[in-house]
PDB file of all heavy atoms in Angstrom:
ATOM      1  N   ARG A  30       0.868  -1.182  -0.032  1.00 94.00           N
ATOM      2  CA  ARG A  30       0.007   0.013   0.001  1.00 94.00           C
ATOM      3  C   ARG A  30       0.849   1.254  -0.030  1.00 94.00           C
ATOM      4  O   ARG A  30       0.653   2.222  -0.695  1.00 94.00           O
ATOM      5  CB  ARG A  30      -0.919   0.001   1.225  1.00 94.00           C
ATOM      6  CG  ARG A  30      -1.912   1.128   1.245  1.00 94.00           C
ATOM      7  CD  ARG A  30      -2.868   1.101   2.413  1.00 94.00           C
ATOM      8  NE  ARG A  30      -3.813   0.059   2.251  1.00 94.00           N
ATOM      9  CZ  ARG A  30      -3.737  -1.201   2.947  1.00 94.00           C
ATOM     10  NH1 ARG A  30      -2.799  -1.317   3.876  1.00 94.00           N
ATOM     11  NH2 ARG A  30      -4.621  -2.065   2.750  1.00 94.00           N
ATOM     12  N   ALA A  31       1.920   1.233   0.747  1.00 95.00           N
ATOM     13  CA  ALA A  31       2.856   2.426   0.845  1.00 95.00           C
ATOM     14  C   ALA A  31       3.581   2.573  -0.480  1.00 95.00           C
ATOM     15  O   ALA A  31       3.751   3.826  -0.868  1.00 95.00           O
ATOM     16  CB  ALA A  31       3.784   2.183   2.035  1.00 95.00           C
ATOM     17  N   ARG A  32       4.000   1.498  -1.030  1.00 95.00           N
ATOM     18  CA  ARG A  32       4.701   1.681  -2.313  1.00 95.00           C
ATOM     19  C   ARG A  32       3.824   2.198  -3.441  1.00 95.00           C
ATOM     20  O   ARG A  32       4.212   2.999  -4.249  1.00 95.00           O
ATOM     21  CB  ARG A  32       5.243   0.245  -2.785  1.00 95.00           C
ATOM     22  CG  ARG A  32       6.428  -0.249  -1.945  1.00 95.00           C
ATOM     23  CD  ARG A  32       6.768  -1.673  -2.233  1.00 95.00           C
ATOM     24  NE  ARG A  32       7.101  -1.857  -3.616  1.00 95.00           N
ATOM     25  CZ  ARG A  32       7.122  -3.047  -4.242  1.00 95.00           C
ATOM     26  NH1 ARG A  32       6.873  -4.132  -3.586  1.00 95.00           N
ATOM     27  NH2 ARG A  32       7.519  -3.144  -5.517  1.00 95.00           N
ATOM     28  N   ARG A  33       2.536   1.737  -3.412  1.00 95.00           N
ATOM     29  CA  ARG A  33       1.575   2.275  -4.421  1.00 95.00           C
ATOM     30  C   ARG A  33       1.381   3.774  -4.186  1.00 95.00           C
ATOM     31  O   ARG A  33       1.358   4.559  -5.164  1.00 95.00           O
ATOM     32  CB  ARG A  33       0.214   1.491  -4.309  1.00 95.00           C
ATOM     33  CG  ARG A  33       0.332   0.109  -4.933  1.00 95.00           C
ATOM     34  CD  ARG A  33      -1.064  -0.541  -4.894  1.00 95.00           C
ATOM     35  NE  ARG A  33      -0.970  -1.871  -5.405  1.00 95.00           N
ATOM     36  CZ  ARG A  33      -2.064  -2.722  -5.490  1.00 95.00           C
ATOM     37  NH1 ARG A  33      -3.270  -2.283  -5.172  1.00 95.00           N
ATOM     38  NH2 ARG A  33      -1.863  -3.944  -5.974  1.00 95.00           N
ATOM     39  N   GLU A  34       1.116   4.176  -2.935  1.00 95.00           N
ATOM     40  CA  GLU A  34       0.871   5.581  -2.668  1.00 95.00           C
ATOM     41  C   GLU A  34       2.099   6.445  -3.114  1.00 95.00           C
ATOM     42  O   GLU A  34       1.898   7.560  -3.620  1.00 95.00           O
ATOM     43  CB  GLU A  34       0.583   5.748  -1.231  1.00 95.00           C
ATOM     44  CG  GLU A  34      -0.773   5.218  -0.705  1.00 95.00           C
ATOM     45  CD  GLU A  34      -1.944   5.830  -1.487  1.00 95.00           C
ATOM     46  OE1 GLU A  34      -1.851   7.023  -1.756  1.00 95.00           O
ATOM     47  OE2 GLU A  34      -2.885   5.116  -1.715  1.00 95.00           O
ATOM     48  N   ALA A  35       3.321   5.883  -2.838  1.00 96.00           N
ATOM     49  CA  ALA A  35       4.443   6.676  -3.219  1.00 96.00           C
ATOM     50  C   ALA A  35       4.532   6.774  -4.785  1.00 96.00           C
ATOM     51  O   ALA A  35       4.887   7.839  -5.299  1.00 96.00           O
ATOM     52  CB  ALA A  35       5.708   5.964  -2.711  1.00 96.00           C
ATOM     53  N   PHE A  36       4.168   5.686  -5.459  1.00 95.00           N
ATOM     54  CA  PHE A  36       4.081   5.700  -6.998  1.00 95.00           C
ATOM     55  C   PHE A  36       3.109   6.731  -7.404  1.00 95.00           C
ATOM     56  O   PHE A  36       3.401   7.561  -8.314  1.00 95.00           O
ATOM     57  CB  PHE A  36       3.790   4.263  -7.455  1.00 95.00           C
ATOM     58  CG  PHE A  36       3.574   4.312  -8.967  1.00 95.00           C
ATOM     59  CD1 PHE A  36       4.524   4.523  -9.869  1.00 95.00           C
ATOM     60  CD2 PHE A  36       2.277   3.991  -9.443  1.00 95.00           C
ATOM     61  CE1 PHE A  36       4.352   4.480 -11.199  1.00 95.00           C
ATOM     62  CE2 PHE A  36       2.018   3.913 -10.816  1.00 95.00           C
ATOM     63  CZ  PHE A  36       3.052   4.198 -11.698  1.00 95.00           C
ATOM     64  N   TYR A  37       1.909   6.788  -6.857  1.00 96.00           N
ATOM     65  CA  TYR A  37       0.913   7.606  -7.189  1.00 96.00           C
ATOM     66  C   TYR A  37       1.333   9.133  -7.011  1.00 96.00           C
ATOM     67  O   TYR A  37       1.041  10.001  -7.828  1.00 96.00           O
ATOM     68  CB  TYR A  37      -0.384   7.427  -6.476  1.00 96.00           C
ATOM     69  CG  TYR A  37      -0.988   6.154  -6.574  1.00 96.00           C
ATOM     70  CD1 TYR A  37      -2.014   5.588  -5.702  1.00 96.00           C
ATOM     71  CD2 TYR A  37      -0.686   5.281  -7.731  1.00 96.00           C
ATOM     72  CE1 TYR A  37      -2.583   4.418  -5.888  1.00 96.00           C
ATOM     73  CE2 TYR A  37      -1.332   4.088  -7.860  1.00 96.00           C
ATOM     74  CZ  TYR A  37      -2.231   3.594  -6.958  1.00 96.00           C
ATOM     75  OH  TYR A  37      -2.832   2.379  -7.079  1.00 96.00           O
ATOM     76  N   GLY A  38       2.082   9.363  -6.006  1.00 96.00           N
ATOM     77  CA  GLY A  38       2.638  10.655  -5.740  1.00 96.00           C
ATOM     78  C   GLY A  38       3.636  11.083  -6.785  1.00 96.00           C
ATOM     79  O   GLY A  38       3.677  12.264  -7.191  1.00 96.00           O
ATOM     80  N   ARG A  39       4.448  10.176  -7.285  1.00 96.00           N
ATOM     81  CA  ARG A  39       5.443  10.482  -8.223  1.00 96.00           C
ATOM     82  C   ARG A  39       4.804  10.833  -9.562  1.00 96.00           C
ATOM     83  O   ARG A  39       5.203  11.758 -10.230  1.00 96.00           O
ATOM     84  CB  ARG A  39       6.545   9.267  -8.464  1.00 96.00           C
ATOM     85  CG  ARG A  39       7.373   9.057  -7.249  1.00 96.00           C
ATOM     86  CD  ARG A  39       8.542   8.190  -7.557  1.00 96.00           C
ATOM     87  NE  ARG A  39       8.228   6.959  -8.190  1.00 96.00           N
ATOM     88  CZ  ARG A  39       7.949   5.812  -7.489  1.00 96.00           C
ATOM     89  NH1 ARG A  39       7.891   5.849  -6.151  1.00 96.00           N
ATOM     90  NH2 ARG A  39       7.632   4.671  -8.140  1.00 96.00           N
ATOM     91  N   ILE A  40       3.870   9.994 -10.012  1.00 96.00           N
ATOM     92  CA  ILE A  40       3.163  10.284 -11.327  1.00 96.00           C
ATOM     93  C   ILE A  40       2.331  11.509 -11.266  1.00 96.00           C
ATOM     94  O   ILE A  40       2.083  12.183 -12.279  1.00 96.00           O
ATOM     95  CB  ILE A  40       2.466   9.037 -11.813  1.00 96.00           C
ATOM     96  CG1 ILE A  40       1.274   8.705 -10.960  1.00 96.00           C
ATOM     97  CG2 ILE A  40       3.351   7.853 -11.946  1.00 96.00           C
ATOM     98  CD1 ILE A  40       0.350   7.595 -11.545  1.00 96.00           C
ATOM     99  N   ASP A  41       1.779  11.866 -10.106  1.00 96.00           N
ATOM    100  CA  ASP A  41       0.937  12.979  -9.940  1.00 96.00           C
ATOM    101  C   ASP A  41       1.716  14.303 -10.387  1.00 96.00           C
ATOM    102  O   ASP A  41       1.089  15.183 -10.957  1.00 96.00           O
ATOM    103  CB  ASP A  41       0.416  13.167  -8.555  1.00 96.00           C
ATOM    104  CG  ASP A  41      -0.439  14.373  -8.348  1.00 96.00           C
ATOM    105  OD1 ASP A  41      -1.548  14.289  -8.876  1.00 96.00           O
ATOM    106  OD2 ASP A  41      -0.054  15.241  -7.680  1.00 96.00           O
ATOM    107  N   ALA A  42       3.038  14.315 -10.073  1.00 94.00           N
ATOM    108  CA  ALA A  42       3.823  15.443 -10.469  1.00 94.00           C
ATOM    109  C   ALA A  42       3.818  15.634 -11.960  1.00 94.00           C
ATOM    110  O   ALA A  42       4.185  16.746 -12.439  1.00 94.00           O
ATOM    111  CB  ALA A  42       5.217  15.366  -9.904  1.00 94.00           C
ATOM    112  N   SER A  43       3.615  14.592 -12.698  1.00 96.00           N
ATOM    113  CA  SER A  43       3.659  14.643 -14.152  1.00 96.00           C
ATOM    114  C   SER A  43       2.247  14.609 -14.730  1.00 96.00           C
ATOM    115  O   SER A  43       1.991  14.339 -15.948  1.00 96.00           O
ATOM    116  CB  SER A  43       4.378  13.424 -14.748  1.00 96.00           C
ATOM    117  OG  SER A  43       5.800  13.518 -14.378  1.00 96.00           O
ATOM    118  N   HIS A  44       1.246  15.002 -13.897  1.00 97.00           N
ATOM    119  CA  HIS A  44      -0.159  15.143 -14.285  1.00 97.00           C
ATOM    120  C   HIS A  44      -0.721  13.810 -14.839  1.00 97.00           C
ATOM    121  O   HIS A  44      -1.289  13.766 -15.958  1.00 97.00           O
ATOM    122  CB  HIS A  44      -0.300  16.263 -15.349  1.00 97.00           C
ATOM    123  CG  HIS A  44       0.361  17.549 -14.983  1.00 97.00           C
ATOM    124  ND1 HIS A  44       0.068  18.290 -13.902  1.00 97.00           N
ATOM    125  CD2 HIS A  44       1.534  18.158 -15.564  1.00 97.00           C
ATOM    126  CE1 HIS A  44       0.854  19.290 -13.827  1.00 97.00           C
ATOM    127  NE2 HIS A  44       1.783  19.242 -14.818  1.00 97.00           N
ATOM    128  N   CYS A  45      -0.442  12.770 -14.135  1.00 97.00           N
ATOM    129  CA  CYS A  45      -0.957  11.416 -14.446  1.00 97.00           C
ATOM    130  C   CYS A  45      -1.764  10.863 -13.265  1.00 97.00           C
ATOM    131  O   CYS A  45      -1.518  11.300 -12.084  1.00 97.00           O
ATOM    132  CB  CYS A  45       0.094  10.467 -14.844  1.00 97.00           C
ATOM    133  SG  CYS A  45       1.021  10.807 -16.270  1.00 97.00           S
ATOM    134  N   THR A  46      -2.713  10.018 -13.580  1.00 96.00           N
ATOM    135  CA  THR A  46      -3.458   9.308 -12.470  1.00 96.00           C
ATOM    136  C   THR A  46      -3.610   7.889 -12.904  1.00 96.00           C
ATOM    137  O   THR A  46      -3.775   7.567 -14.096  1.00 96.00           O
ATOM    138  CB  THR A  46      -4.774  10.019 -12.130  1.00 96.00           C
ATOM    139  OG1 THR A  46      -5.254   9.558 -10.926  1.00 96.00           O
ATOM    140  CG2 THR A  46      -5.825   9.722 -13.258  1.00 96.00           C
ATOM    141  N   PRO A  47      -3.658   6.902 -11.992  1.00 96.00           N
ATOM    142  CA  PRO A  47      -3.829   5.513 -12.316  1.00 96.00           C
ATOM    143  C   PRO A  47      -5.271   5.197 -12.652  1.00 96.00           C
ATOM    144  O   PRO A  47      -6.133   5.432 -11.789  1.00 96.00           O
ATOM    145  CB  PRO A  47      -3.406   4.734 -11.086  1.00 96.00           C
ATOM    146  CG  PRO A  47      -3.564   5.786  -9.922  1.00 96.00           C
ATOM    147  CD  PRO A  47      -3.403   7.160 -10.513  1.00 96.00           C
ATOM    148  N   LEU A  48      -5.585   4.713 -13.849  1.00 96.00           N
ATOM    149  CA  LEU A  48      -6.928   4.326 -14.185  1.00 96.00           C
ATOM    150  C   LEU A  48      -7.527   3.367 -13.270  1.00 96.00           C
ATOM    151  O   LEU A  48      -8.798   3.521 -12.988  1.00 96.00           O
ATOM    152  CB  LEU A  48      -6.948   3.786 -15.685  1.00 96.00           C
ATOM    153  CG  LEU A  48      -8.291   3.347 -16.234  1.00 96.00           C
ATOM    154  CD1 LEU A  48      -9.267   4.461 -16.267  1.00 96.00           C
ATOM    155  CD2 LEU A  48      -8.104   2.687 -17.628  1.00 96.00           C
ATOM    156  N   TRP A  49      -6.800   2.412 -12.796  1.00 94.00           N
ATOM    157  CA  TRP A  49      -7.478   1.419 -11.988  1.00 94.00           C
ATOM    158  C   TRP A  49      -7.970   1.893 -10.660  1.00 94.00           C
ATOM    159  O   TRP A  49      -8.812   1.233 -10.025  1.00 94.00           O
ATOM    160  CB  TRP A  49      -6.397   0.256 -11.712  1.00 94.00           C
ATOM    161  CG  TRP A  49      -5.123   0.724 -11.059  1.00 94.00           C
ATOM    162  CD1 TRP A  49      -4.841   0.864  -9.713  1.00 94.00           C
ATOM    163  CD2 TRP A  49      -3.876   1.079 -11.736  1.00 94.00           C
ATOM    164  NE1 TRP A  49      -3.537   1.328  -9.507  1.00 94.00           N
ATOM    165  CE2 TRP A  49      -2.989   1.481 -10.753  1.00 94.00           C
ATOM    166  CE3 TRP A  49      -3.593   1.113 -13.080  1.00 94.00           C
ATOM    167  CZ2 TRP A  49      -1.620   1.845 -11.100  1.00 94.00           C
ATOM    168  CZ3 TRP A  49      -2.283   1.540 -13.463  1.00 94.00           C
ATOM    169  CH2 TRP A  49      -1.349   1.876 -12.440  1.00 94.00           C
ATOM    170  N   GLU A  50      -7.651   3.110 -10.252  1.00 93.00           N
ATOM    171  CA  GLU A  50      -8.162   3.720  -9.058  1.00 93.00           C
ATOM    172  C   GLU A  50      -9.470   4.517  -9.356  1.00 93.00           C
ATOM    173  O   GLU A  50     -10.227   4.819  -8.474  1.00 93.00           O
ATOM    174  CB  GLU A  50      -7.137   4.703  -8.436  1.00 93.00           C
ATOM    175  CG  GLU A  50      -5.903   3.982  -7.847  1.00 93.00           C
ATOM    176  CD  GLU A  50      -6.269   3.249  -6.594  1.00 93.00           C
ATOM    177  OE1 GLU A  50      -7.253   3.568  -5.907  1.00 93.00           O
ATOM    178  OE2 GLU A  50      -5.524   2.273  -6.286  1.00 93.00           O
ATOM    179  N   VAL A  51      -9.767   4.812 -10.626  1.00 94.00           N
ATOM    180  CA  VAL A  51     -10.930   5.688 -10.948  1.00 94.00           C
ATOM    181  C   VAL A  51     -11.882   4.950 -11.963  1.00 94.00           C
ATOM    182  O   VAL A  51     -12.910   5.511 -12.227  1.00 94.00           O
ATOM    183  CB  VAL A  51     -10.455   7.020 -11.521  1.00 94.00           C
ATOM    184  CG1 VAL A  51      -9.635   7.778 -10.496  1.00 94.00           C
ATOM    185  CG2 VAL A  51      -9.698   6.855 -12.814  1.00 94.00           C
ATOM    186  N   LEU A  52     -11.529   3.796 -12.481  1.00 94.00           N
ATOM    187  CA  LEU A  52     -12.256   3.226 -13.505  1.00 94.00           C
ATOM    188  C   LEU A  52     -13.716   3.003 -13.212  1.00 94.00           C
ATOM    189  O   LEU A  52     -14.651   3.336 -14.009  1.00 94.00           O
ATOM    190  CB  LEU A  52     -11.650   1.884 -13.945  1.00 94.00           C
ATOM    191  CG  LEU A  52     -12.340   1.091 -15.075  1.00 94.00           C
ATOM    192  CD1 LEU A  52     -12.406   1.944 -16.354  1.00 94.00           C
ATOM    193  CD2 LEU A  52     -11.666  -0.266 -15.316  1.00 94.00           C
ATOM    194  N   HIS A  53     -13.966   2.473 -11.973  1.00 92.00           N
ATOM    195  CA  HIS A  53     -15.378   2.169 -11.618  1.00 92.00           C
ATOM    196  C   HIS A  53     -16.257   3.387 -11.565  1.00 92.00           C
ATOM    197  O   HIS A  53     -17.461   3.334 -11.791  1.00 92.00           O
ATOM    198  CB  HIS A  53     -15.440   1.353 -10.376  1.00 92.00           C
ATOM    199  CG  HIS A  53     -14.730  -0.012 -10.502  1.00 92.00           C
ATOM    200  ND1 HIS A  53     -15.134  -0.936 -11.363  1.00 92.00           N
ATOM    201  CD2 HIS A  53     -13.682  -0.482  -9.888  1.00 92.00           C
ATOM    202  CE1 HIS A  53     -14.339  -2.065 -11.292  1.00 92.00           C
ATOM    203  NE2 HIS A  53     -13.453  -1.777 -10.330  1.00 92.00           N
ATOM    204  N   GLY A  54     -15.698   4.455 -11.301  1.00 92.00           N
ATOM    205  CA  GLY A  54     -16.487   5.708 -11.206  1.00 92.00           C
ATOM    206  C   GLY A  54     -16.516   6.443 -12.521  1.00 92.00           C
ATOM    207  O   GLY A  54     -17.412   7.225 -12.758  1.00 92.00           O
ATOM    208  N   LEU A  55     -15.587   6.093 -13.383  1.00 92.00           N
ATOM    209  CA  LEU A  55     -15.457   6.740 -14.710  1.00 92.00           C
ATOM    210  C   LEU A  55     -16.409   6.105 -15.708  1.00 92.00           C
ATOM    211  O   LEU A  55     -17.087   6.779 -16.466  1.00 92.00           O
ATOM    212  CB  LEU A  55     -14.027   6.734 -15.174  1.00 92.00           C
ATOM    213  CG  LEU A  55     -13.643   7.483 -16.369  1.00 92.00           C
ATOM    214  CD1 LEU A  55     -13.832   8.983 -16.183  1.00 92.00           C
ATOM    215  CD2 LEU A  55     -12.194   7.171 -16.840  1.00 92.00           C
ATOM    216  N   ILE A  56     -16.408   4.771 -15.770  1.00 93.00           N
ATOM    217  CA  ILE A  56     -17.238   4.028 -16.686  1.00 93.00           C
ATOM    218  C   ILE A  56     -18.198   3.164 -15.831  1.00 93.00           C
ATOM    219  O   ILE A  56     -17.828   2.112 -15.348  1.00 93.00           O
ATOM    220  CB  ILE A  56     -16.381   3.153 -17.649  1.00 93.00           C
ATOM    221  CG1 ILE A  56     -15.441   4.060 -18.380  1.00 93.00           C
ATOM    222  CG2 ILE A  56     -17.308   2.472 -18.646  1.00 93.00           C
ATOM    223  CD1 ILE A  56     -14.539   3.303 -19.406  1.00 93.00           C
ATOM    224  N   THR A  57     -19.452   3.689 -15.697  1.00 94.00           N
ATOM    225  CA  THR A  57     -20.409   3.070 -14.733  1.00 94.00           C
ATOM    226  C   THR A  57     -21.301   2.058 -15.485  1.00 94.00           C
ATOM    227  O   THR A  57     -21.489   2.261 -16.748  1.00 94.00           O
ATOM    228  CB  THR A  57     -21.221   4.141 -14.083  1.00 94.00           C
ATOM    229  OG1 THR A  57     -21.868   4.966 -15.117  1.00 94.00           O
ATOM    230  CG2 THR A  57     -20.407   5.079 -13.244  1.00 94.00           C
ATOM    231  N   PRO A  58     -21.856   1.138 -14.861  1.00 94.00           N
ATOM    232  CA  PRO A  58     -22.698   0.098 -15.482  1.00 94.00           C
ATOM    233  C   PRO A  58     -23.965   0.743 -16.105  1.00 94.00           C
ATOM    234  O   PRO A  58     -24.459   0.312 -17.115  1.00 94.00           O
ATOM    235  CB  PRO A  58     -23.089  -0.814 -14.342  1.00 94.00           C
ATOM    236  CG  PRO A  58     -22.020  -0.644 -13.271  1.00 94.00           C
ATOM    237  CD  PRO A  58     -21.580   0.703 -13.371  1.00 94.00           C
ATOM    238  N   THR A  59     -24.511   1.838 -15.470  1.00 95.00           N
ATOM    239  CA  THR A  59     -25.692   2.501 -16.045  1.00 95.00           C
ATOM    240  C   THR A  59     -25.403   3.990 -15.838  1.00 95.00           C
ATOM    241  O   THR A  59     -24.510   4.376 -15.076  1.00 95.00           O
ATOM    242  CB  THR A  59     -27.011   2.110 -15.251  1.00 95.00           C
ATOM    243  OG1 THR A  59     -26.814   2.422 -13.884  1.00 95.00           O
ATOM    244  CG2 THR A  59     -27.266   0.632 -15.524  1.00 95.00           C
ATOM    245  N   PRO A  60     -26.173   4.841 -16.502  1.00 94.00           N
ATOM    246  CA  PRO A  60     -25.928   6.298 -16.335  1.00 94.00           C
ATOM    247  C   PRO A  60     -25.927   6.735 -14.902  1.00 94.00           C
ATOM    248  O   PRO A  60     -26.842   6.376 -14.148  1.00 94.00           O
ATOM    249  CB  PRO A  60     -27.037   6.999 -17.180  1.00 94.00           C
ATOM    250  CG  PRO A  60     -27.370   5.890 -18.228  1.00 94.00           C
ATOM    251  CD  PRO A  60     -27.172   4.528 -17.563  1.00 94.00           C
ATOM    252  N   SER A  61     -25.034   7.595 -14.560  1.00 93.00           N
ATOM    253  CA  SER A  61     -24.947   8.216 -13.251  1.00 93.00           C
ATOM    254  C   SER A  61     -24.955   9.743 -13.416  1.00 93.00           C
ATOM    255  O   SER A  61     -24.053  10.247 -14.051  1.00 93.00           O
ATOM    256  CB  SER A  61     -23.617   7.714 -12.518  1.00 93.00           C
ATOM    257  OG  SER A  61     -23.504   8.359 -11.246  1.00 93.00           O
ATOM    258  N   THR A  62     -25.931  10.336 -12.898  1.00 95.00           N
ATOM    259  CA  THR A  62     -26.161  11.817 -13.038  1.00 95.00           C
ATOM    260  C   THR A  62     -26.545  12.463 -11.744  1.00 95.00           C
ATOM    261  O   THR A  62     -27.310  11.885 -10.977  1.00 95.00           O
ATOM    262  CB  THR A  62     -27.147  12.089 -14.159  1.00 95.00           C
ATOM    263  OG1 THR A  62     -27.342  13.496 -14.263  1.00 95.00           O
ATOM    264  CG2 THR A  62     -28.530  11.440 -13.812  1.00 95.00           C
ATOM    265  N   PRO A  63     -26.039  13.646 -11.539  1.00 95.00           N
ATOM    266  CA  PRO A  63     -26.516  14.410 -10.321  1.00 95.00           C
ATOM    267  C   PRO A  63     -27.807  15.113 -10.599  1.00 95.00           C
ATOM    268  O   PRO A  63     -28.375  15.694  -9.723  1.00 95.00           O
ATOM    269  CB  PRO A  63     -25.297  15.482 -10.076  1.00 95.00           C
ATOM    270  CG  PRO A  63     -24.818  15.692 -11.515  1.00 95.00           C
ATOM    271  CD  PRO A  63     -24.866  14.335 -12.182  1.00 95.00           C
ATOM    272  N   CYS A  64     -28.313  15.083 -11.852  1.00 98.00           N
ATOM    273  CA  CYS A  64     -29.569  15.757 -12.238  1.00 98.00           C
ATOM    274  C   CYS A  64     -30.703  15.131 -11.419  1.00 98.00           C
ATOM    275  O   CYS A  64     -30.731  13.952 -11.253  1.00 98.00           O
ATOM    276  CB  CYS A  64     -29.839  15.674 -13.675  1.00 98.00           C
ATOM    277  SG  CYS A  64     -28.650  16.532 -14.692  1.00 98.00           S
ATOM    278  N   GLN A  65     -31.657  16.022 -11.049  1.00 98.00           N
ATOM    279  CA  GLN A  65     -32.741  15.582 -10.267  1.00 98.00           C
ATOM    280  C   GLN A  65     -34.088  15.924 -10.994  1.00 98.00           C
ATOM    281  O   GLN A  65     -34.066  16.944 -11.752  1.00 98.00           O
ATOM    282  CB  GLN A  65     -32.752  16.285  -8.891  1.00 98.00           C
ATOM    283  CG  GLN A  65     -31.559  15.967  -8.073  1.00 98.00           C
ATOM    284  CD  GLN A  65     -31.553  16.761  -6.764  1.00 98.00           C
ATOM    285  OE1 GLN A  65     -32.566  17.174  -6.253  1.00 98.00           O
ATOM    286  NE2 GLN A  65     -30.393  16.942  -6.165  1.00 98.00           N
ATOM    287  N   PRO A  66     -35.158  15.189 -10.755  1.00 98.00           N
ATOM    288  CA  PRO A  66     -36.438  15.587 -11.348  1.00 98.00           C
ATOM    289  C   PRO A  66     -36.809  16.983 -10.659  1.00 98.00           C
ATOM    290  O   PRO A  66     -36.471  17.211  -9.513  1.00 98.00           O
ATOM    291  CB  PRO A  66     -37.408  14.526 -10.857  1.00 98.00           C
ATOM    292  CG  PRO A  66     -36.525  13.395 -10.483  1.00 98.00           C
ATOM    293  CD  PRO A  66     -35.241  13.933  -9.986  1.00 98.00           C
ATOM    294  N   CYS A  67     -37.367  17.840 -11.406  1.00 98.00           N
ATOM    295  CA  CYS A  67     -37.752  19.175 -10.910  1.00 98.00           C
ATOM    296  C   CYS A  67     -38.898  19.704 -11.645  1.00 98.00           C
ATOM    297  O   CYS A  67     -39.112  19.474 -12.807  1.00 98.00           O
ATOM    298  CB  CYS A  67     -36.558  20.139 -10.967  1.00 98.00           C
ATOM    299  SG  CYS A  67     -36.792  21.592  -9.971  1.00 98.00           S
ATOM    300  N   HIS A  68     -39.729  20.536 -10.870  1.00 98.00           N
ATOM    301  CA  HIS A  68     -40.904  21.062 -11.434  1.00 98.00           C
ATOM    302  C   HIS A  68     -40.938  22.608 -11.187  1.00 98.00           C
ATOM    303  O   HIS A  68     -40.653  23.017 -10.071  1.00 98.00           O
ATOM    304  CB  HIS A  68     -42.087  20.405 -10.791  1.00 98.00           C
ATOM    305  CG  HIS A  68     -43.460  20.954 -11.094  1.00 98.00           C
ATOM    306  ND1 HIS A  68     -44.418  21.011 -10.275  1.00 98.00           N
ATOM    307  CD2 HIS A  68     -43.985  21.445 -12.316  1.00 98.00           C
ATOM    308  CE1 HIS A  68     -45.546  21.487 -10.775  1.00 98.00           C
ATOM    309  NE2 HIS A  68     -45.276  21.769 -12.100  1.00 98.00           N
ATOM    310  N   TRP A  69     -41.177  23.427 -12.227  1.00 98.00           N
ATOM    311  CA  TRP A  69     -41.335  24.850 -12.055  1.00 98.00           C
ATOM    312  C   TRP A  69     -42.721  25.243 -12.367  1.00 98.00           C
ATOM    313  O   TRP A  69     -43.082  25.531 -13.548  1.00 98.00           O
ATOM    314  CB  TRP A  69     -40.287  25.529 -12.992  1.00 98.00           C
ATOM    315  CG  TRP A  69     -38.878  25.413 -12.665  1.00 98.00           C
ATOM    316  CD1 TRP A  69     -38.127  26.186 -11.832  1.00 98.00           C
ATOM    317  CD2 TRP A  69     -37.980  24.335 -13.071  1.00 98.00           C
ATOM    318  NE1 TRP A  69     -36.890  25.688 -11.737  1.00 98.00           N
ATOM    319  CE2 TRP A  69     -36.694  24.603 -12.472  1.00 98.00           C
ATOM    320  CE3 TRP A  69     -38.135  23.142 -13.917  1.00 98.00           C
ATOM    321  CZ2 TRP A  69     -35.658  23.725 -12.701  1.00 98.00           C
ATOM    322  CZ3 TRP A  69     -37.123  22.421 -14.110  1.00 98.00           C
ATOM    323  CH2 TRP A  69     -35.797  22.633 -13.537  1.00 98.00           C
TER     324      TRP A  69
END
């Protein structure tokens, strides 16, 4: 865990991020939206 965190810190300085840490939130099984039903 410590080695990974250190690696993430090193690549962050070059404006990179590991896909495997964000994939599940980036490509979701169904649409994910903050939009809400609303009536005016």
Side-chain angles (χ1 to χ4, degrees):
R30 183 177 292 105
R32 288 171 59 194
R33 287 185 183 179
E34 291 299 325
F36 171 68
Y37 298 161
R39 292 197 304 275
I40 67 173
D41 182 68
S43 294
H44 313 295
C45 296
T46 195
L48 175 61
W49 55 88
E50 292 289 337
V51 298
L52 179 61
H53 296 298
L55 188 65
I56 302 177
T57 57
T59 58
S61 176
T62 177
C64 295
Q65 300 174 24
C67 193
H68 176 215
W69 291 269

